[in-house]
Each structure stands twice: as structure tokens, then as C-alpha cells.
Amino acid sequence: MAAAAEPRIRAAGDPMLPRIVRVRKRVRELPGTVSLTFEAADGGTLPPFQPGQFTMLSVFGAGEIPVSISGDSADESFLVQTVRAVGAVSEAVAALRPGDCPGLRGPFGSAWPMEDLDGRDVVMVAGGLGLAALRSAVYHVLANRARFGTVVLLYGTRSPEDILFRGQLQTWRKRLDVQLEVTVDHAERAWRGHVGVVTLLLPRLAVDAARTTALVCGPEVMMRFVAAGLGDIGVAESSIWVSLERTMQCGIGLCGHCQFGGMFVCKDGPVLRYDRVRPLLGVKEL
């Protein structure tokens, strides 16, 4: 398989100038985690995006943070983003209500290689909130299901109470053309699913490793172990794509805050081929 470049689409106009958007809908996913649906405040259209990209969301007076796009790229009417409140700015974003008008820059960054997946088996592996960054890819794959071979979605999280998009996962599980497995690190007796880290699910995959592409998003340590597990079943590192979650500030590679070796995650990533980043992921304090 020829090496594919990270696909990307750049925002038009001044990339440092926020656009005012309006919150159309707010859904509480988990304690401290919400999905916000945005529409253009001026009645216009929002910029298109590709699965895997992110935007810079700002609440005036609080600050700005990078947030992965978790909605369907085929729906250009709205933009859906899932946010976990873990600091002052993300708390301000998560507290937004319908009618509130934050600022938005982007979309920025590289995307999942959706156009290179035709005819291939697709394995998507998410850990924790990483499912939000993968969800737009899941939408695309399921909407174009006939274009792919075997499709697998593996999701791991800490406990049953931490499962993200629970209702949607249940809907996807009912499809006969998708293998979906959810596992948790620990659970009470009422839990009837898998218990253990997500890598334990990899050996049972019924895929053709030589024609498999994997999309992986989650904590960096989890992605390293998943990539190793995929290698154990024969998936090449050049066929594994990961999404890095580094703190971006400008979104266009100017400030250097997200520098990762010789790359800038905001413009070279966040989606990168694993063989490009593997030597860097194990370096402490990088």
C-alpha cells in the first residue's frame, strides 16, 4: 500500500479571527461532559470539515481551547463538538447553553484517511473521550458501508458509568455489518460485557491484516499498546493512524506550543501515521 499523506482542509479567511457561532443544542453525555451543536450566528453556513479535524473554541473572557469535531461531516448545517470540563476554559465551554454565542476558529489540522480506506478492512479503536474524535469517522464509514471490507469498532473506558455515546453505541451494535465491542477496566457484577483493557480484544479480530487500516484515538499510552497489539496480528505500522491530543493554541503552527519533535500537531496532525510518531511517543517529557 502506497504511503498516504495526511489529508487536510484549511479554513478560509483570517485563521486567527474567530467566527461567532450559536449553540443550537446541548446534550449531557456524562458528568462534566457535554456535546454542543453549533450553527452560524449570522444565518450563514459553517465551514466544511473532514473527520478527525478540530476547531479552536473560545468563550469571551475565559479563553480558547482546541476541541475535536465529533459530528457528521456529511451534515454541513451544524457542527457538533464534545467537551469534557477539566479546566477553567473547558468548564466555561461545557457550561454553554442554547442561544449562547462563543467564538470558533477552524477547522484545522489533518484528517483520518477516509478516501484511502476503500476496499480495506477498517478497525477503529477508541479509549475514553477518544471516541469523540473518532465518531465522525464512524459516521462516514457506516454511511458508506459498501465501500469497505470488515468494519470493527473497539471501545474501552474505565467503567460502565464512563461509556460515552451509550445510546448510539447500542444502535450501532444492532447492525449486522459491524463488529462492535465495548470493554471496561473494572465493573460491578451487573455488567455483562468485557472487562479488561481494550488491547485484549485485538487477538480475536477476524480481519485480513494485510489489507487492514486502523484508526486509533485515546491516551498516548493506550495508543502505543494498541499499535503494538495490532502489530502482533500483522497490521503494518504504516497502516495505523493515530490522533494526538496535544495542547494547541494558535491552530496554524505559529506559536510552537504543540511542537512534537520536528512536527506541529496543529498543522501536521492531529491525525498522523503511526510509523511517523512511534519514535517520539515513548520519549519522556516530549
Side-chain angles (χ1 to χ4, degrees):
M1 177 184 176
E6 288 85 4
R8 64 193 71 244
I9 181 171
R10 295 300 187 191
D14 184 348
M16 297 301 292
L17 181 64
R19 177 174 184 170
I20 305 302
V21 294
R22 180 184 296 110
V23 179
R24 179 184 177 92
K25 183 179 179 182
R26 180 183 189 272
V27 176
R28 180 182 180 274
E29 306 285 0
L30 297 170
T33 301
V34 301
S35 288
L36 301 170
T37 300
F38 298 107
E39 61 185 358
D42 59 7
T45 58
L46 294 173
F49 74 94
Q50 293 180 7
Q53 290 193 297
F54 70 96
T55 73
M56 298 297 298
L57 277 175
S58 56
V59 175
F60 303 108
E64 185 180 53
I65 55 170
V67 182
S68 297
I69 303 172
S70 59
D72 188 351
S73 61
D75 186 353
E76 298 183 1
S77 302
F78 309 107
L79 194 66
V80 180
Q81 303 199 250
T82 303
V83 183
R84 174 175 292 165
V86 293
V89 183
S90 58
E91 287 176 359
V93 173
L96 292 171
R97 295 292 189 272
D100 289 343
C101 294
L104 180 146
R105 294 193 295 116
F108 296 124
S110 59
W112 299 111
M114 308 312 299
E115 298 306 317
D116 297 317
L117 301 182
D118 286 10
R120 297 182 62 80
D121 291 352
V122 181
V123 176
M124 296 173 281
V125 187
L129 193 60
L131 183 58
L134 260 178
R135 187 166 69 156
S136 55
V138 178
Y139 281 134
H140 177 91
V141 169
L142 297 186
N144 301 276
R145 181 63 186 85
R147 290 167 45 186
F148 313 105
T150 300
V151 173
V152 179
L153 173 60
L154 306 180
Y155 177 48
T157 191
R158 290 176 298 179
S159 70
E161 292 74 25
D162 296 310
I163 294 175
L164 191 63
F165 309 135
R166 182 185 295 269
Q168 197 158 44
L169 288 170
Q170 292 174 348
T171 298
W172 291 340
R173 189 192 294 275
K174 295 177 182 178
R175 295 182 58 131
L176 300 179
D177 55 0
V178 176
Q179 178 188 347
L180 190 155
E181 304 289 348
V182 177
T183 186
V184 299
D185 293 343
H186 52 82
E188 301 296 334
R189 290 186 177 182
W191 172 250
R192 295 291 183 265
H194 298 286
V195 177
V197 294
V198 72
T199 51
L200 296 177
L201 302 178
L202 296 176
R204 66 183 69 186
L205 292 182
V207 296
D208 181 349
R211 65 183 190 104
T212 293
T213 298
L215 314 180
V216 186
C217 187
E220 288 184 4
V221 63
M222 165 262 182
M223 293 193 293
R224 293 203 309 269
F225 279 103
V226 167
L230 288 167
D232 289 342
I233 64 172
V235 180
E237 286 188 352
S238 59
S239 295
I240 302 172
W241 297 75
V242 297
S243 180
L244 302 182
E245 298 182 353
R246 298 269 167 161
T247 303
M248 284 80 87
Q249 288 190 353
C250 70
I252 56 176
L254 290 179
C255 71
H257 194 75
C258 66
Q259 186 170 358
F260 188 53
M263 297 175 284
F264 294 96
V265 174
C266 65
K267 67 183 185 68
D268 298 307
V271 176
L272 291 159
R273 231 175 50 202
Y274 185 68
D275 57 341
R276 290 188 62 191
V277 300
R278 178 186 54 77
L280 300 174
L281 285 177
V283 178
K284 292 183 178 180
E285 299 181 2
L286 181 60

